[in-house]
Amino acid sequence: MKKKHAVTGFGIALLLILGISLFFYLNFQTVVVSGPSMEPTYVNGQRLLACKAYGLVGGIKDSDIVVVKGEGKDDYFIKRVYKSAGEIVDFANVPENWVITQGDYKVPPGHVFLLGDNREKSEDSRVWGAVSLDRVIGKIISR
């Protein structure tokens, strides 16, 4: 005689919880603000939620706040997207090494130009130039 295996309500609920947990683990990350560069929007020690499921929250665009991989393994920084690929950055915010005689500074394809909200205390694209979208960990979705 063959045994029939019935899928119970508990089994379905368990699979659903596991699936949702895996989705959140792969698409969301909690980050902690470090330093004053995003004040007054965010303050040192504040916890934020970043999402890389752009289908849910929309693609990266000007004024979004993003988390970007830094140089070290667990190093990251949080900045606001000032300009996107193909857009021209005004002369007050171009990278330090940009010479005005070169003309307008245009954000390269596949990059974003990032600024901290607290311009006086922020090291950002004005220092390092545009940042590759490959380095963007996710978009901040919580306050």
Side-chain angles (χ1 to χ4, degrees), residues 10-122:
F10 176 75
I12 292 172
L14 190 59
L15 284 173
L16 186 61
I17 290 170
L18 180 63
I20 291 170
S21 297
L22 184 61
F23 174 79
F24 274 90
Y25 176 78
L26 295 173
N27 292 292
F28 295 88
Q29 180 176 344
T30 302
V31 294
V32 178
V33 177
S34 177
S37 73
M38 286 303 293
E39 290 176 354
T41 309
Y42 302 122
V43 296
N44 190 47
Q46 188 173 357
R47 297 177 69 80
L48 305 171
L49 185 62
C51 179
K52 52 187 157 187
Y54 300 124
L56 293 177
V57 297
I60 296 170
K61 60 188 180 312
D62 293 359
S63 297
D64 284 343
I65 299 174
V66 295
V67 181
V68 179
K69 290 178 201 167
E71 299 299 320
K73 180 181 176 244
D74 295 324
D75 190 28
Y76 61 85
F77 53 89
I78 302 166
K79 302 291 179 196
R80 186 177 300 276
V81 176
Y82 180 64
K83 297 289 182 182
S84 300
E87 294 182 318
I88 294 171
V89 176
D90 58 278
F91 284 120
N93 289 305
V94 296
E96 294 173 347
N97 63 354
W98 188 257
V99 180
I100 293 178
T101 58
Q102 292 175 280
D104 291 334
Y105 178 86
K106 189 184 282 190
V107 180
H111 288 70
V112 286
F113 197 87
L114 306 173
L115 296 176
D117 287 357
N118 185 353
R119 301 287 197 279
E120 292 179 12
K121 304 275 183 175
S122 182

